[in-house]
Each structure stands twice: as structure tokens, then as C-alpha cells.
Amino acid sequence: MSHRATTPIDKNWTFKQADDSAAEFRPVAQFPSNIHLDLLANDRIPDPFIGKNEVDVQWVGETAWIYKTTFDAPDLAALTRGAKAVLAFDGLDTYATVRFNGSEVLKTESMFVPERVDVTDHVKAGENVLDITFESAYLKGWKLVEKYPEHKWGCWNGDNSRLAVRKAQYHWGWDWGPALMTCGPWRPINLEIYESRIADLYFTTSVDASLRSAEIIAKADIEGSSASQVKFIVSLNGHEVCSSNIKVEHGHASDKFQLDRPELWYPNRYGKQPLYSLAVTLLHENREIDAVSKKLGLRRARLVQQPMVDQPGTTFFFEVNNLPIFCGGSDWIPADSFIPRISAQRYHDWVKLVADGNQMMIRVWGGGIYEEQAFYDACDELGILVWQDFMFGCGNYPAFPEYLALVEREAEANVKLLRHHPSIVIWAGNNEDYQYRETEKLTYDHDNKDEESWLQTDFPARYIYEKILADCCKELIPDTYYHFGSPWGAGRDTQDPTVGDIHQWNVWHGTQERYQDFDKLVGRFVSEFGMEAFPNIKTIDSFLPLGKADPDRFPQSSTVDFHNKAAGHERRLALYLVENLRYAPDPIEQFVYCTQLLQAECLASAYRLWRRQWRGPGREHCGGALVWQINDCWPVTSWSIADYHLRPKHAYFAIKREMAPLTCAIARTEHVTPRDRYTRAHIRRQHVLDIWASNLSLRDVTVDVVVTAWHLLTGAETFRETVATQLLLPGNRSTEIVTLPVPVRTPDSGEEMAVVVAAYLLVDGQQVARYVNWPDPLKYAHLPKPRQLTAQLSPDETRVDVSAEVPVKGVALECEDDGVVFGDNCVDVVPGEVVAVAVKGALKESEIATRYLGMV
């Protein structure tokens, strides 16, 4: 018996338009691929990311395409008797007809389902021909909509045809992305020849509550009856920990391993991320026939939903290795409209950006894809917890029998592909489909548990989320929590802040509340919220056809507007800008800065105020905040905190500061007290500072708290006081420190709008945390133009020292060289203090410029 042989089918690929008899086959530039990448490489379409070219390439998604290749295969008859040949398709996008040596061997209807086809009777010794015809998913979708008129079709974003098609939903366009209807072989294709193989390697793990021991139950499914034994090996850092030889029975082998004092996997900042290796070798007469290995992390993870001591409802927070975790993080969308060109290194760079930003959770949003293994590998390695959605979003999905069968296959395949990753701690059934149901008043009775009756309602997708997906997770990943949707809260209104998770869009969308009031907009876990900002000016120049010389290089131009897909974005962004900042559209660089400062202030407010609600055992009023969104799929103005080119916006750094292990914060409020119920003349106004600290580390910290104030215009220090000494800040919770009036000579005289206040936490006289509080709204403040603002590169070129003689809001460091990377940005500067900003890639000749609020 010979070893399983795998031959990548990744060379000699060509493609052409299927309905054009005169079309010639052209070379495919890379593999895996998709049609837009190949048309681009052959200069057949303009770059859809440039200007308004998206419009000019819409025909591509309404056209059928053929991909074709030839490859050599061995003579099966010359191999061991019983050998079989299988074509393994990891991903075909989406409606594909596969012909092999002239015979149709496969038809597909899902982008998300890998397929395996036995071609033993079709493969030839020598050259073989494989061709795949891809139909338009867009047109197929509309035909399905017309086929089922009884379903109440409807969605947010894209159009109804997407609901009928099991394909990445963002390909229909979203409020941050273009409509680019791809097709093609988007994941690898292999020819496998074997008699027996390891069909799947999987396992369950459990860690004792004491954390002193762990159990691994290793399992292998075997295809073929020739091999009779497997060997399991568990290793760590290349050293064998335990192993066993097990007989294969009825196509399955399993064994249990006990580990004493295991090395545990922890989230980012809470410990290390050791990854064990579980390898299985399939043996026949002591010869290796096949081998597979997977990484695993040992951790005890659970979602805690329990009553609190002082508020209604239940908690919603994650606990890892007995440690309650406040999950500050981000939502993730696909990092490109054309997925095959996202490299493993680019995935790692994105996840590292999340980890470096003091975040510990990322949510894979339900309108994209089940991500590549490289993404989850990076999360495993860097300690980023993953909230994984199933791929349904913002609509009323159908439930005709063929669709349900396809969904069942999709769920099983992808849960099996991803279940070994220790980073994944929750699966959710969909994104906002229950919210869509509420908005459209579709039928839903949470108390009705008759599953078949759900299919007869105008919200039949309940059967998908509460039956098919729930059953799949219960069977395949029983130890990982399954959540019916996001948001979801025990069948209640999805905006109920006392249970489950919420999407807080009443800032930007909805009632368009002030972001300063995020403390009133809290939920037990806020899995979406956000604010738009323009991308880096270099990114804008990259999508303008003429770059810096383009006549549309201004904020309100049609091209710049085209690269913002959010409905009503002009009004919404203008509202929040005019409410908070003095700004102007020219020059564009300063306008970009103002939008990014606005986004930074907004999102920092959310993290700061919600983190305050993490008050310790029994008082975990808010267990996490995931900003919409970390990334973009093309160069665009959106809610992302880093743009398509991995250039962080200023909000990224603001969140990084707010999610530091130890922070202090100030909230400035005005209390109005009329003398009686009728007067408008006799009113007392008190301007008050609430000061608190948040300690997300696991150790208690004893600090002194110093509060300092300056006159905004002159920079003169007007107040300095140690308001607390040797104050204990218990670990993993917030602590209220003090409430005091805004320090002015004459209260309620308007002087409060000219005072900047900073709070400092000191340990043994060394500053460990800092926060600067400004008059609010900033548009009312008389901001000075500093005469002595400096940004000095240190002699060893590892930091930039920023200082000024007056308070300066949001000092941004800028450099034309993309190789110069700042560790912080958009920092507040006060007199007598030097803010040290780490920098990488700087040289003595690097030109570092500054920008700040009020500069123009």
C-alpha cells in the first residue's frame, strides 16, 4: 500500500468568457484566483478600486466564465490495487459545473462548501483536462427569488437576490464596500490518490477547574479499509508529551490523554499562547500511509450569563482559565473584495495590529466568509479571542428544502474546518437577522418550540438559526457556546440592554445620539458600534485616478463620495462634525484629520465609559465592546479604524490607550439646579469632574492620584492637587476615585470653558496612567496656536518627544514614508510635559510633521 499522494492542480490555468465564441483562453495570473483578478492581470478591465471603475465592471458579474487546465496523473493501474483518485475542491465560487476529461463530474451551488469527487473512472495516465464553468451568481439568485414568490424577501444592503445564494453576501455591495460579483476557483484544488486516508483529525479538550490537569480526546476518521492502525502523538515545542497506537475500528480511531500541569493558552495580555501539536499517522504493516497534524490550545473557556447584585438582567462576559475578561476588540470584514490575493502574511499583519492595539477579541462578521486558516492561526498565535458568525446577515433568508440542505452541509463543513482553533470561543447564527425581523414585524413567538411550524411563518430562517445551526454546534462543538444571532438576548427585543449582546447604532444611525452619552447607551456586551472617518490621505490619493493632481481631490467631490457607500453619510458625518469641532473642508488633509479626530473621540468615549461599567464580581454591567470595524475591503471612507492599506486611523490609537491595562478617566458634567420650578433667571450651574480608574490587570495596584489644570489660552498651571494617596485599585475592575468641581477662580462664570484638566496615576512617583479632559464641546473652546510645538526624534531614532507651551488637542504625527510607523498618535499635549511616542523605521533624515485641532 502506497502513501496518499496529493498533487496541487495550480498550474497551466486559463480562462475565457463562456458566451463569447470568439473569446480566446487567457492565462490565469495566480492560483487560487477569481475572475476579476484574472481580467485585471490581462488588462481586460480597469482596476475597480480606482475612481468609479466599479460601475464599469458590473458586466463581469453577470457573465458566465470558463476556467481550464491540464495536468499529468499517474497510471492508477500501475499503483497498488484499490487505489482511487479524488479531485478535492476547497472552494468554488459559486455556481460551478466541473468537467473532467470531457465528463461532467460535479455541480456546485455554494461558495462555502468544499467538495470531493471520485474520478477514479475518469483519470488517465498522462495528461488530463479539467474545466469549470461558473455561472452568474447574481442572475441565478434572481431566478430563485422569482421561483419562490411566497417568501417575504427583504434585506438591508445589496439586494434580495443575495439571500437565495450561499456566497459571501458583501459581494452584492454593502454600506462600506463595492458590488463586485466574483466567481472562480477561490481556494485550492488537489488531486489525491490513495487507498486509505485520514478523512478528519479532531479532538475535544477539557481543563480541570483547578487548571492543574487537562484531558485531550483525540479522534480520527479513516476512509478506506486497508490501513488498520493509527498513531497519535501530542507534542509541545517539538518535544513529545504523550502518544499511543490505536486500532482502527469501523473507520474510526480514538484515544484519551491526561496531561498534568498543562501549559494553558491565554488571551492577549493575560498570559502566553502555547500551542500543542496533535499528529496522527495512519499505518499499514508499520508503514506510513497518511499523516495529518493540527495545533491545539488548552484553555477553559465559557460565556458567563448570570444575575448581578445591583442591576436587572444577566451578565454576558467571557471567562478564560477562570479569569473574567473584559473583551475590548473589533468586528472583522473580509480584508479584500478579492479574497485570493490576501496572503497569510497580510492576515498575520491585520491580527497583529489588533493585538498591538491592546485588543483581545475579533468578531468575524456574518456577511463575509468563513475565514482562511491563516487568519485563525494568527489569532491562535497572538491570543485574540474569536467570535465567529455563520454567514447570514441583515435579511430574511428563505427556507426551501434545497436551501436548508445546502445550509446544513455548509455548517457541518465549516465547523469541522475551524473547530480545532482555541481562539474561537463562540459561534453566532447570523448578523442582525433578528433585528431585521423586528423592523419588518415578521412573525416570531419565542415560546413556540414547534420547530416545523417555524417553516410556515414569514420568518422561516428561524429554523436555520435555532434548529440546523444549533444542532450542528451541539453535535460537533458541544463545548463551544452557540448564540442564535448577533444581537440576541434570550428572545427579547434585540435592543434590550440587560441581556445578551446589542448593536448600539443610536450613534450614527438610529436616533443619532451624542457620543458623549455612550454611558446611557450601554449593554451587557456591545458587539457593534461605530463612527465613520476618512482614510489616510495617501489612501485617498491611491484611488483618485490622477492621485494628488486629480481635480476631484476635495472632500465633497463625486469620486471621494463614490468611495463612501453609507447611505446619508454626508448628513451624518456633518452632524457629528458640526456638533463637536470647528472644521472646514479645505485643505483636504485637515478635513481628513478632523474626521479622524472625531472618530477617535467618539470611540474612545465608548470604550472609556463602558469599561467603567466593568465593576468586579457580580457587577459586570458591561462585559465587552467590539467596534465596527477594524478593517476595509477596499480604499474607502467607512467606520474602519485602519484603512484598506493597513494604515491606522487616529481612532485605532485612541482605543489602544483606552484599552491599556491601567487607565484613568474624567467625565465633565454640568448640573443645573433652578431655585424653584418656575424660574428661568435664578439657576445654579455646577461643573463637576468625576474621576475614576480601570485596572484590567490581574494584580492590585496602589497609586497616588494627581489632578492638574491649565488655562487653555495661556498655558498657565491653575491647579495641582494630590486627590488620593496610596489608593488601592483592585485588579480586573474599575474604581471610582473622586468627584470635584472644575477648578476655576469663579464658578459658573464661563471660565470652565477655558480650563484643561489632567489626571495622573503614580506608582512610587512614576506616572503609570494619564488622561486629559477638555471643555466640551470642543467647538466652543478658544484653542490657541502653539508657538513652541515640537516633535523631536530621539538620538536613537526609537521615539518622538512631543511638547508645547500651551495645551494642544490631538497632536498627530505624520510622515510621507510609510516605513515610519508610530506606536501612538493624535495625543493630547499639556505644558510642562513631554509625550514620548514610540516609532519604528525612522531615520535621522526622516521628516516628521505635526497636525492638531485648530491648526487651520
Side-chain angles (χ1 to χ4, degrees), residues 653-702:
F653 298 104
I655 293 169
K656 181 179 180 179
R657 292 191 293 269
E658 295 296 342
M659 281 303 301
L662 186 63
T663 62
C664 58
I666 303 174
R668 186 185 302 214
T669 56
E670 180 184 22
H671 299 284
V672 178
T673 309
R675 187 179 66 183
D676 55 55
R677 61 190 294 189
Y678 304 110
T679 185
R680 292 186 299 180
H682 304 286
I683 296 174
R684 183 188 178 199
R685 287 180 172 84
Q686 292 177 293
H687 297 262
V688 173
L689 303 173
D690 287 329
I691 303 176
W692 70 94
S694 176
N695 180 8
L696 290 185
S697 74
L698 302 179
R699 62 184 181 87
D700 298 347
V701 180
T702 301

Coordinates of all heavy atoms in Angstrom, one line a residue, residues 653-702:
F653 N -5.5 54.4 17.7 CA -4.6 54.7 18.8 C -5.4 55.1 20.1 O -5.0 54.9 21.2 CB -3.6 55.8 18.4 CG -2.7 55.4 17.3 CD1 -2.9 55.8 16.0 CD2 -1.6 54.5 17.5 CE1 -2.0 55.4 15.0 CE2 -0.8 54.0 16.5 CZ -1.0 54.5 15.2
A654 N -6.5 55.8 19.8 CA -7.3 56.2 21.0 C -7.9 55.0 21.7 O -7.9 54.9 22.9 CB -8.5 57.1 20.5
I655 N -8.3 53.9 20.9 CA -8.7 52.7 21.5 C -7.6 52.0 22.2 O -7.8 51.4 23.3 CB -9.4 51.8 20.4 CG1 -10.7 52.4 19.9 CG2 -9.7 50.4 21.0 CD1 -11.2 51.8 18.7
K656 N -6.4 52.0 21.6 CA -5.2 51.4 22.2 C -5.0 52.0 23.6 O -4.7 51.3 24.6 CB -4.0 51.6 21.3 CG -2.7 51.0 21.8 CD -1.6 51.2 20.8 CE -0.3 50.6 21.4 NZ 0.8 50.8 20.4
R657 N -5.1 53.3 23.7 CA -4.9 54.0 25.0 C -6.0 53.6 26.0 O -5.8 53.3 27.2 CB -4.9 55.5 24.8 CG -3.6 56.0 24.1 CD -3.5 57.5 24.2 NE -4.5 58.2 23.4 CZ -4.4 58.6 22.2 NH1 -3.4 58.3 21.4 NH2 -5.4 59.2 21.6
E658 N -7.3 53.6 25.5 CA -8.4 53.3 26.4 C -8.4 51.8 26.8 O -9.0 51.5 27.9 CB -9.7 53.6 25.7 CG -9.9 55.1 25.5 CD -9.9 56.0 26.7 OE1 -10.2 55.4 27.8 OE2 -9.8 57.2 26.6
M659 N -7.8 50.9 26.1 CA -7.7 49.5 26.4 C -6.4 49.1 27.1 O -6.1 47.9 27.2 CB -8.0 48.7 25.2 CG -9.5 48.6 24.8 SD -10.5 47.9 26.2 CE -9.8 46.3 26.4
A660 N -5.6 50.1 27.5 CA -4.4 49.8 28.2 C -4.7 49.1 29.5 O -5.8 49.2 30.0 CB -3.6 51.1 28.5
P661 N -3.8 48.3 30.0 CA -4.2 47.5 31.3 C -4.6 48.4 32.4 O -5.5 48.1 33.2 CB -2.8 46.8 31.6 CG -2.1 46.7 30.3 CD -2.5 47.9 29.5
L662 N -4.0 49.6 32.5 CA -4.4 50.5 33.6 C -4.6 51.9 33.0 O -3.8 52.5 32.3 CB -3.2 50.6 34.6 CG -3.5 51.4 35.9 CD1 -4.6 50.8 36.7 CD2 -2.2 51.6 36.7
T663 N -5.8 52.4 33.3 CA -6.2 53.7 32.8 C -6.9 54.5 33.9 O -7.4 54.0 34.8 CB -7.2 53.6 31.6 OG1 -8.4 53.0 32.1 CG2 -6.6 52.8 30.4
C664 N -6.8 55.9 33.7 CA -7.7 56.7 34.5 C -8.5 57.6 33.5 O -8.2 57.7 32.3 CB -6.9 57.6 35.4 SG -5.7 58.7 34.6
A665 N -9.6 58.2 34.0 CA -10.5 58.8 33.2 C -11.2 59.9 33.9 O -11.3 59.9 35.2 CB -11.5 57.9 32.6
I666 N -11.8 60.9 33.2 CA -12.5 62.0 33.7 C -13.8 62.2 32.9 O -13.7 62.2 31.7 CB -11.7 63.3 33.7 CG1 -10.4 63.2 34.5 CG2 -12.5 64.5 34.3 CD1 -9.5 64.4 34.4
A667 N -14.9 62.4 33.6 CA -16.1 62.8 32.9 C -16.5 64.2 33.4 O -16.6 64.4 34.7 CB -17.2 61.8 33.1
R668 N -16.7 65.2 32.6 CA -17.0 66.5 33.0 C -18.5 66.7 32.7 O -19.0 66.6 31.6 CB -16.2 67.6 32.2 CG -16.4 69.0 32.6 CD -15.7 70.0 31.7 NE -14.3 69.8 31.6 CZ -13.4 70.8 31.4 NH1 -13.8 72.1 31.4 NH2 -12.1 70.6 31.3
T669 N -19.3 67.1 33.7 CA -20.7 67.2 33.6 C -21.2 68.6 34.2 O -20.5 69.1 35.1 CB -21.5 66.1 34.3 OG1 -21.1 66.0 35.6 CG2 -21.2 64.8 33.6
E670 N -22.3 69.0 33.7 CA -22.9 70.3 34.2 C -24.2 69.9 34.9 O -25.1 69.3 34.3 CB -23.1 71.3 33.1 CG -23.8 72.6 33.6 CD -24.1 73.5 32.4 OE1 -24.2 73.0 31.3 OE2 -24.2 74.7 32.7
H671 N -24.3 70.3 36.2 CA -25.5 70.1 37.0 C -26.3 71.4 37.1 O -25.7 72.4 37.6 CB -25.2 69.5 38.4 CG -24.5 68.2 38.3 ND1 -25.1 67.0 38.0 CD2 -23.2 67.9 38.5 CE1 -24.2 66.0 38.1 NE2 -23.0 66.5 38.4
V672 N -27.5 71.4 36.6 CA -28.3 72.7 36.6 C -29.4 72.5 37.6 O -30.2 71.6 37.6 CB -28.9 72.9 35.2 CG1 -29.8 74.1 35.2 CG2 -27.8 73.0 34.1
T673 N -29.4 73.5 38.5 CA -30.4 73.5 39.6 C -31.2 74.8 39.7 O -30.6 75.8 40.1 CB -29.7 73.2 41.0 OG1 -28.9 72.1 40.9 CG2 -30.8 73.0 42.1
P674 N -32.4 74.9 39.2 CA -33.2 76.1 39.3 C -33.6 76.4 40.8 O -33.8 75.4 41.5 CB -34.4 75.9 38.4 CG -34.5 74.4 38.3 CD -33.2 73.9 38.5
R675 N -33.8 77.6 41.1 CA -34.2 78.0 42.5 C -35.5 77.4 42.8 O -35.8 77.0 43.9 CB -34.1 79.5 42.7 CG -34.4 79.9 44.2 CD -34.3 81.4 44.3 NE -35.4 82.1 43.6 CZ -35.6 83.4 43.5 NH1 -34.7 84.2 44.0 NH2 -36.6 83.9 42.8
D676 N -36.4 77.4 41.8 CA -37.8 76.9 42.0 C -38.2 76.3 40.7 O -37.5 76.4 39.7 CB -38.7 77.9 42.6 CG -38.8 79.2 41.7 OD1 -39.1 79.0 40.5 OD2 -38.6 80.3 42.2
R677 N -39.4 75.8 40.6 CA -39.9 75.1 39.4 C -40.3 76.1 38.3 O -40.5 75.6 37.1 CB -41.1 74.3 39.7 CG -42.3 75.0 40.3 CD -43.4 74.1 40.8 NE -44.0 73.3 39.8 CZ -45.1 72.5 40.0 NH1 -45.6 72.4 41.2 NH2 -45.6 71.8 39.0
Y678 N -40.3 77.4 38.6 CA -40.8 78.3 37.5 C -39.7 79.2 36.9 O -39.8 79.7 35.8 CB -41.9 79.2 38.1 CG -43.0 78.5 38.7 CD1 -43.3 78.5 40.1 CD2 -43.9 77.8 37.8 CE1 -44.3 77.8 40.6 CE2 -45.0 77.1 38.4 CZ -45.2 77.1 39.7 OH -46.3 76.4 40.3
T679 N -38.6 79.4 37.7 CA -37.7 80.5 37.3 C -36.8 80.1 36.1 O -36.5 78.9 35.9 CB -36.7 80.8 38.5 OG1 -35.9 81.9 38.1 CG2 -35.9 79.6 38.8
R680 N -36.5 81.1 35.3 CA -35.5 81.0 34.3 C -34.3 81.8 34.6 O -33.3 81.7 33.9 CB -36.1 81.4 32.9 CG -37.2 80.5 32.4 CD -37.7 80.9 31.0 NE -38.2 82.2 31.0 CZ -38.7 82.8 29.9 NH1 -38.7 82.2 28.7 NH2 -39.2 84.0 29.9
A681 N -34.4 82.7 35.6 CA -33.3 83.6 35.9 C -32.4 83.1 37.0 O -31.2 83.3 37.0 CB -33.9 85.0 36.3
H682 N -33.0 82.4 38.0 CA -32.2 82.0 39.1 C -31.9 80.6 39.0 O -32.6 79.7 39.5 CB -33.0 82.3 40.4 CG -33.4 83.8 40.5 ND1 -32.5 84.8 40.8 CD2 -34.6 84.4 40.3 CE1 -33.2 85.9 40.8 NE2 -34.4 85.7 40.5
I683 N -30.8 80.3 38.4 CA -30.3 79.0 38.1 C -28.9 78.8 38.5 O -28.0 79.6 38.2 CB -30.5 78.6 36.6 CG1 -32.0 78.7 36.2 CG2 -29.9 77.2 36.3 CD1 -32.2 78.5 34.7
R684 N -28.6 77.7 39.3 CA -27.3 77.4 39.7 C -26.7 76.3 38.8 O -27.3 75.3 38.6 CB -27.3 77.0 41.2 CG -25.9 76.7 41.7 CD -26.0 76.0 43.1 NE -24.7 75.7 43.6 CZ -24.5 74.8 44.6 NH1 -25.6 74.1 45.1 NH2 -23.3 74.6 45.1
R685 N -25.5 76.6 38.3 CA -24.8 75.6 37.5 C -23.5 75.2 38.1 O -22.7 76.0 38.5 CB -24.5 76.2 36.1 CG -25.7 76.4 35.2 CD -25.4 77.0 33.9 NE -26.5 77.0 32.9 CZ -27.4 77.9 32.9 NH1 -27.4 78.9 33.8 NH2 -28.4 77.8 32.1
Q686 N -23.4 73.9 38.3 CA -22.2 73.3 38.8 C -21.5 72.5 37.8 O -22.1 71.6 37.2 CB -22.5 72.5 40.1 CG -23.0 73.2 41.3 CD -23.4 72.3 42.4 OE1 -24.3 71.5 42.3 NE2 -22.6 72.3 43.5
H687 N -20.2 72.7 37.6 CA -19.4 72.0 36.6 C -18.5 71.0 37.4 O -17.7 71.5 38.2 CB -18.6 72.9 35.7 CG -19.4 73.8 34.9 ND1 -19.7 73.6 33.6 CD2 -20.0 75.0 35.2 CE1 -20.4 74.5 33.1 NE2 -20.7 75.4 34.1
V688 N -18.8 69.7 37.2 CA -18.2 68.7 38.1 C -17.3 67.7 37.3 O -17.7 67.4 36.1 CB -19.3 68.0 38.8 CG1 -18.8 66.8 39.6 CG2 -20.1 68.9 39.7
L689 N -16.3 67.3 37.9 CA -15.4 66.2 37.4 C -15.6 64.9 38.1 O -15.4 64.9 39.4 CB -13.9 66.7 37.4 CG -13.6 68.0 36.7 CD1 -12.1 68.3 37.0 CD2 -13.8 67.9 35.2
D690 N -16.0 63.9 37.4 CA -15.9 62.5 38.0 C -14.6 61.9 37.5 O -14.4 61.8 36.3 CB -17.1 61.7 37.6 CG -18.4 62.1 38.2 OD1 -18.4 62.6 39.3 OD2 -19.5 62.0 37.5
I691 N -13.9 61.4 38.5 CA -12.6 60.8 38.1 C -12.6 59.3 38.6 O -13.0 59.0 39.7 CB -11.4 61.5 38.8 CG1 -11.4 63.0 38.3 CG2 -10.1 60.9 38.4 CD1 -10.4 63.9 39.0
W692 N -12.2 58.4 37.7 CA -12.2 57.0 38.1 C -11.0 56.4 37.4 O -10.3 57.0 36.5 CB -13.4 56.3 37.7 CG -13.7 56.1 36.2 CD1 -13.4 55.1 35.5 CD2 -14.3 57.1 35.3 NE1 -13.7 55.2 34.2 CE2 -14.4 56.5 34.1 CE3 -14.9 58.3 35.5 CZ2 -14.9 57.1 32.9 CZ3 -15.4 59.0 34.4 CH2 -15.4 58.4 33.1
A693 N -10.7 55.1 37.8 CA -9.6 54.4 37.2 C -10.1 53.0 36.8 O -11.1 52.5 37.4 CB -8.4 54.2 38.1
S694 N -9.5 52.4 35.9 CA -9.8 51.0 35.5 C -8.6 50.2 35.4 O -7.6 50.5 34.7 CB -10.6 51.0 34.1 OG -10.8 49.7 33.7
N695 N -8.6 49.1 36.1 CA -7.4 48.2 36.2 C -7.8 46.8 35.6 O -8.5 46.1 36.3 CB -7.0 48.1 37.7 CG -5.8 47.1 37.8 OD1 -5.2 46.7 36.9 ND2 -5.5 46.8 39.1
L696 N -7.4 46.6 34.4 CA -7.7 45.3 33.8 C -6.6 44.3 34.0 O -6.8 43.1 33.5 CB -8.0 45.5 32.3 CG -9.3 46.2 31.8 CD1 -9.4 46.2 30.3 CD2 -10.5 45.6 32.5
S697 N -5.6 44.7 34.7 CA -4.6 43.7 35.0 C -5.1 42.8 36.1 O -6.1 43.0 36.7 CB -3.3 44.4 35.4 OG -3.4 44.9 36.7
L698 N -4.4 41.7 36.4 CA -4.8 40.7 37.4 C -4.2 41.0 38.7 O -4.5 40.2 39.7 CB -4.4 39.3 36.9 CG -5.0 39.0 35.5 CD1 -4.6 37.6 35.1 CD2 -6.5 39.1 35.5
R699 N -3.5 42.1 38.9 CA -2.9 42.4 40.2 C -3.5 43.7 40.7 O -3.8 44.6 39.9 CB -1.4 42.4 40.2 CG -0.8 43.4 39.2 CD 0.7 43.4 39.1 NE 1.2 44.4 38.2 CZ 1.5 45.6 38.6 NH1 1.3 46.0 39.9 NH2 2.0 46.5 37.8
D700 N -3.6 43.8 42.0 CA -4.0 45.1 42.6 C -2.8 46.1 42.5 O -1.6 45.7 42.5 CB -4.3 44.9 44.1 CG -5.5 44.0 44.3 OD1 -6.2 43.7 43.3 OD2 -5.7 43.5 45.5
V701 N -3.2 47.3 42.3 CA -2.2 48.4 42.2 C -2.5 49.5 43.2 O -3.7 49.9 43.3 CB -2.2 48.9 40.7 CG1 -1.1 50.0 40.6 CG2 -1.9 47.8 39.7
T702 N -1.5 50.0 43.8 CA -1.7 51.1 44.8 C -1.1 52.3 44.1 O 0.1 52.3 43.7 CB -1.0 50.8 46.1 OG1 -1.5 49.6 46.7 CG2 -1.2 52.0 47.1

